[in-house]
Amino acid sequence: MGIQLITAATLEPVTVAEAKLQCQIDTSDFDTLLPMLIASARQKAENYMDAAIMQRTLEMTLDAFPEAEIRLEQPVAWNKLHGGMGAVACPVSITSVTYVDTAGATQTLAGAAYSLDLSVWPFYLLPAVDTEWPDTRDQANAVTIRYQLGYDATSKVPADIRAWLLMTVAFMFANRESMVLDGKVAEIPNRWTDALLDPYRVFEV
C-alpha cells in the first residue's frame, strides 16, 4: 500500500491582489514575495487542519480490495495519517479505480460500481449496494485509486479560512526577519486567529 501526490495544487485560496489589500501594498515591488507567503500560509493551514484546501490529485495503491470500505488517505508528506471527526475543508472526487484481475489484465471499474461516504473525514470508498469488490491478482499494488482532494476554485474556500490566510500573510509580510526587533510581537498566528480554522479541523480519535 502506498500513496503519492500526482498533481500539486495549482491555485491558492487567496489572490495576490487580496494579499496586497490586506497588507496595504500599492506597488508591484513585492509581487514575487507575496505568492511565496500565500503558499506558506496555505501549507501551514493544511497541516493545522489535517485537510486539503486547494485541489490536488492523489493516487493510493492497495495489494487487494478489502472486504468492505476503503479509507481514502492523505499524503504523509504534509500530515500524519489518522481518523478524525469534524467538518471537512477538503471536497473529494474519484478520478478512477483500476485493478489487476486474476488473469493479470488491468481493469477499470465503472463509476456505478462504487460510491463515496462523504459524511465525515476520513472519506470512504465503498462497493455499490448489493455488490462486492472484484477479485484481484495476488501481487503488490494490484488496486490503484486516483482521486482529487480540495476546492477547485478560490471562491469556494470558506471565508474563515481565507481570513486566517490573509492575516497570516500580512503578519509574515510585516515581520520578514527571523528575529524580534524593536519590541515587535513574534507570535504567529495567535489562538484567536487559529480559532478561525477550528470548524474545519480534523481531530484525532
Side-chain angles (χ1 to χ4, degrees), residues 11-15 18 38 42 53-54 154 157 161-162 165:
L11 296 175
E12 293 295 349
V14 298
T15 66
E18 290 169 331
I38 292 170
R42 188 252 306 160
I53 298 177
M54 302 313 298
T154 298
V157 179
I161 296 176
R162 284 165 44 80
L165 291 164

Side-chain angles (χ1 to χ4, degrees), residues 91-192:
V92 64
S93 62
I94 301 297
T95 302
S96 64
V97 179
T98 61
Y99 67 99
V100 180
D101 66 18
T102 54
T106 299
Q107 307 288 347
T108 300
L109 279 180
Y114 53 82
S115 63
L116 276 171
D117 179 1
L118 303 178
S119 58
V120 67
W121 180 262
F123 298 133
Y124 287 94
L125 183 69
L126 304 97
V129 176
D130 296 328
T131 69
E132 297 179 350
W133 295 119
D135 293 331
T136 62
R137 188 177 184 178
D138 185 13
Q139 67 173 62
N141 303 321
V143 178
T144 301
I145 303 167
R146 182 168 290 199
Y147 54 104
Q148 294 180 315
L149 279 178
Y151 291 103
D152 60 4
T154 298
S155 59
K156 296 179 182 180
V157 179
D160 289 346
I161 296 176
R162 284 165 44 80
W164 185 95
L165 291 164
L166 288 171
M167 284 189 287
T168 302
V169 168
F171 185 97
M172 288 192 291
F173 176 76
N175 299 272
R176 298 190 293 278
E177 303 295 335
S178 60
M179 298 178 63
V180 177
L181 302 174
D182 299 328
K184 290 183 179 180
V185 179
E187 181 182 2
I188 178 174
N190 61 34
R191 185 64 197 113
W192 185 87

